[in-house]
Amino acid sequence: MIVTGFHASRTHKLTAGQKDANRVLAIGRAPVEHGFAHLKNWRILARLRTNPTRATQLLRALLVLTNLEVNR
């Protein structure tokens, strides 16, 4: 299931509840987007040609290294 936020237009303003829902969604989405942004710094992912199991192990290792680097 894909969860998207509410969109406002010139004629349709968001209610307070819709704004709160968008805020909650953004709070949950921000860490994931930041994680992907940090993982893009690892150039090996652009050239990765291996089976999915090995790719998952590599991605987990890179995520650990990225977290160590970011949380310094």
Side-chain angles (χ1 to χ4, degrees), residues 31 49 55 72:
R49 303 288 185 262
R72 276 196 233 173

Side-chain angles (χ1 to χ4, degrees), residues 6-14:
F6 294 96
H7 300 282
S9 67
R10 284 187 227 178
T11 58
H12 177 260
K13 303 298 180 192
L14 295 180

Side-chain angles (χ1 to χ4, degrees), residues 1-55:
M1 173 167 42
I2 298 174
V3 179
T4 60
F6 294 96
H7 300 282
S9 67
R10 284 187 227 178
T11 58
H12 177 260
K13 303 298 180 192
L14 295 180
T15 65
Q18 290 173 329
K19 288 180 183 179
D20 287 340
N22 282 351
R23 193 172 299 114
V24 168
L25 183 63
I27 289 170
R29 189 173 50 211
V32 175
E33 290 182 3
H34 290 156
F36 281 121
H38 288 297
L39 285 174
K40 286 181 182 180
N41 291 332
W42 297 93
R43 293 179 186 258
I44 192 169
L45 294 178
R47 297 187 309 261
L48 187 62
R49 303 288 185 262
T50 186
N51 67 14
T53 303
R54 188 163 167 99

